[in-house]
């Protein structure tokens, strides 16, 4: 979780920018809003500031200074600093390429995991924010859906597939704290162990089903399509 030392103040765990609808301002007040600003521009500037100065130094005053406006001008577009941090988090997650690549699910999972690790290295502030916020923005949901589709191809049945999803999610999010320190080889070895566990579970389920039906269990397709 992000602490007060990280972000400057406590996090409101009961709210989210994605769950709170902002009432439309009266026409007269909208005309008073600073020109040249919108959520898109402010979010872009937030990501840039977090990349350059880090989460601990982020503040609405610093952000406003970079945009050449007053800090109060930002509140025409967001209610709190936490809103901006959530928007920036989802913007960063949107950098991930989620189109399924060729090959079986093990190779695609390796590619997705390495891309996520690269994202955390490029944006060190993403890992603590991922732990602090509910991650229900559009890009976060798209990432989770891509992971779900990938795990559907393992052949696992519920609840094993649910367990695999949890294991992969915790692995990806957990590796954020060491994304810049752990050697690439160590990360890939840990990923291989995780994939091997999923493959073993899928094979065991297939064998159990074959035994129950009196048939010979087919060879796991993932074994022949896995990449090193």
């Amino acid at each position: 979780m992000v602490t007060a030392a990280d972000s400057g103040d406590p996090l409101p765990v009961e709210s989210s920018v994605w769950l709170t609808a902002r009432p439309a301002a009266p026409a007269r007040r909208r005309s008073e809003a600073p020109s040249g600003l919108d959520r898109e521009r402010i979010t872009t500037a937030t990501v840039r500031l977090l990349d350059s100065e880090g989460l601990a130094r982020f503040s609405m005053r610093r952000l406003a200074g970079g945009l050449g406006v007053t800090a109060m001008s930002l509140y025409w577009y967001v209610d709190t600093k936490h809103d901006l941090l959530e928007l920036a988090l989802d913007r960063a997650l949107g950098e991930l390429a989620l189109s399924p690549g060729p090959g079986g699910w093990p190779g695609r999972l390796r590619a997705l995991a390495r891309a996520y690790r690269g994202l955390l290295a490029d944006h060190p502030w993403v890992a603590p924010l991922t732990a602090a916020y509910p991650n229900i923005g559009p890009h976060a949901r798209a990432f989770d859906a891509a992971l779900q589709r990938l795990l559907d191809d393992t052949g696992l049945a519920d609840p094993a597939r649910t367990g695999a999803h949890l294991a992969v999610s915790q692995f990806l999010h957990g590796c954020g704290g060491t994304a810049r320190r752990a050697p690439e080889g160590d990360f890939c070895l840990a990923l291989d162990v995780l994939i091997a566990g999923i493959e073993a579970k899928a094979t065991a389920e297939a064998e159990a089903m074959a035994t129950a039906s009196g048939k010979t269990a087919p060879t796991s397709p993932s074994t022949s399509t896995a990449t090193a």
Side-chain angles (χ1 to χ4, degrees):
M1 295 290 287
V2 178
T3 65
D6 295 322
S7 64
D9 48 33
L11 291 171
V13 295
E14 74 282 357
S15 64
S16 167
V17 69
W18 305 110
L19 299 176
T20 305
R22 303 185 79 236
R28 181 184 63 80
R29 291 192 61 205
R30 288 200 300 270
S31 68
E32 298 170 359
S35 61
L37 279 185
D38 54 36
R39 264 196 177 188
E40 184 75 12
R41 183 184 173 197
I42 294 171
T43 302
T44 298
T46 299
V47 171
R48 186 167 56 244
L49 182 61
L50 287 166
D51 284 344
S52 63
E53 299 199 16
L55 183 59
R57 288 176 58 82
F58 178 81
S59 71
M60 298 294 271
R61 188 176 299 277
R62 286 179 181 273
L63 178 63
L67 288 167
V69 299
T70 65
M72 290 304 298
S73 299
L74 303 176
Y75 292 103
W76 285 94
Y77 306 96
V78 293
D79 291 330
T80 69
K81 180 178 75 173
H82 299 294
D83 288 356
L84 273 181
L85 293 177
E86 276 197 278
L87 291 169
L89 171 61
D90 201 66
R91 169 70 64 81
L93 292 175
E95 297 177 12
L96 289 168
L98 299 179
S99 299
W105 69 263
R108 286 162 29 222
L109 179 55
R110 286 185 178 91
L112 182 65
R114 287 168 178 165
Y116 190 83
R117 182 176 185 263
L119 176 76
L120 297 180
D122 291 341
H123 305 294
W125 48 273
V126 164
L129 291 188
T130 297
Y133 291 117
N135 290 294
I136 53 176
H139 290 122
R141 294 197 306 272
F143 175 79
D144 190 68
L147 179 58
Q148 291 276 18
R149 291 192 298 270
L150 190 156
L151 292 175
D152 285 344
D153 291 343
T154 63
L156 287 172
D158 285 331
R161 187 168 64 247
T162 300
H165 181 271
L166 178 61
V168 172
S169 296
Q170 290 184 338
F171 174 80
L172 294 179
H173 297 156
C175 77
T178 58
R180 308 192 81 183
R181 296 191 301 271
E184 179 76 10
D186 290 349
F187 173 83
C188 292
L189 178 60
L191 181 59
D192 285 345
V193 171
L194 177 62
I195 290 173
I198 296 174
E199 289 181 313
K201 182 63 176 176
T203 299
E205 283 192 348
E207 290 175 347
M209 291 180 62
T211 298
S213 62
K215 298 179 180 180
T216 301
T219 301
S220 173
S222 63
T223 303
S224 60
T225 56
T227 58

